[in-house]
Amino acid sequence: MNYSMKEIAINKLIILLILKEIDMPLTRGQLTNIVLENNLINYFDFQQCIQELEKTNFISILEKSQSYSITKMGIRTLDVFASRIPNNTIEQIIKYIKKNKASIILETQVHASFTKQNETEYIVELKVIENDIILIELKLNVVSSKQANIICEQWKKSYHLVYDSIMNTLAK
């Protein structure tokens, strides 16, 4: 195996390790950010590895969210070959995930956006998605972009309180 092939194999193992350690689906953008922020894989090699991992069924893509998750075959492969990943890289990945997992979960599962309908009407769309299942989806009609922005920001901070309140009120 020449150096380039060995490097690509290690890069694939790094991607599998990230998906296994984070234990949740990640979008291509999120995976890209993790590998680039940590200087783990260059962009072009990363794109090649993702395509090959998907083609060989080591990772799968969830259609609704366009998120990647590691398959059982990917986990088995990683378990067998994880020792080929440098220890400092493994430690770096685990440290990064511990530090950033909460914000990644929030980014992945909690959505808030708004669109302008006319000068005095904005539609705010709020969602919580878990494992490709929409747990809650709300659409609100508000009168200003300022109010829409406030609602979006508050949703990101308090979505769980709103969800719990609705469930407690309706599921009695």
Side-chain angles (χ1 to χ4, degrees):
M1 183 183 283
N2 65 35
Y3 179 75
S4 173
M5 294 298 285
K6 182 179 178 184
E7 187 176 321
I8 288 172
I10 291 171
N11 289 343
K12 289 178 185 178
L13 291 170
I14 287 170
I15 293 168
L16 293 175
L17 179 64
I18 291 168
L19 288 170
K20 182 180 178 190
E21 288 297 320
I22 202 146
D23 194 30
M24 60 180 268
L26 294 175
T27 64
R28 184 181 289 247
Q30 290 168 321
L31 270 169
T32 303
N33 287 343
I34 292 170
V35 298
L36 294 180
E37 281 178 32
N38 291 284
N39 295 315
L40 298 170
I41 307 170
N42 77 52
Y43 178 80
F44 299 105
D45 287 346
F46 170 74
Q47 296 301 328
Q48 176 187 347
C49 289
I50 284 289
Q51 287 176 342
E52 290 175 12
L53 286 167
E54 186 179 359
K55 193 181 295 183
T56 55
N57 296 317
F58 289 118
I59 62 174
S60 63
I61 188 163
L62 303 170
E63 291 301 320
K64 287 183 187 175
S65 62
Q66 292 295 299
S67 298
Y68 293 95
S69 60
I70 189 169
T71 63
K72 288 180 181 178
M73 188 163 61
I75 291 170
R76 284 193 302 268
T77 301
L78 180 62
D79 289 344
V80 171
F81 297 106
S83 62
R84 297 186 183 202
I85 303 171
N87 286 335
N88 61 334
T89 302
I90 294 171
E91 291 167 10
Q92 182 181 7
I93 290 168
I94 291 170
K95 182 179 176 183
Y96 181 88
I97 289 171
K98 282 182 181 177
K99 181 180 177 191
N100 295 288
K101 187 170 181 175
S103 63
I104 293 170
I105 288 171
L106 187 63
E107 178 185 312
T108 303
Q109 296 180 342
V110 180
H111 301 272
S113 63
F114 66 92
T115 54
K116 182 177 183 175
Q117 300 298 308
N118 57 50
E119 289 304 312
T120 59
E121 185 179 13
Y122 295 80
I123 304 297
V124 179
E125 295 185 38
L126 310 169
K127 288 183 194 178
V128 176
I129 301 170
E130 188 174 292
N131 296 325
D132 239 12
I133 298 169
I134 297 174
L135 298 180
I136 187 169
E137 181 175 23
L138 298 173
K139 288 186 181 184
L140 305 170
N141 192 329
V142 298
V143 297
S144 71
S145 64
K146 182 179 178 183
Q147 188 178 30
N149 270 318
I150 290 169
I151 291 170
C152 287
E153 288 306 311
Q154 285 299 101
W155 178 253
K156 292 174 186 174
K157 296 175 190 170
S158 306
Y159 68 92
H160 58 285
L161 298 173
V162 174
Y163 180 78
D164 290 346
S165 176
I166 290 171
M167 289 304 289
N168 287 333
T169 301
L170 299 176
K172 287 185 177 183

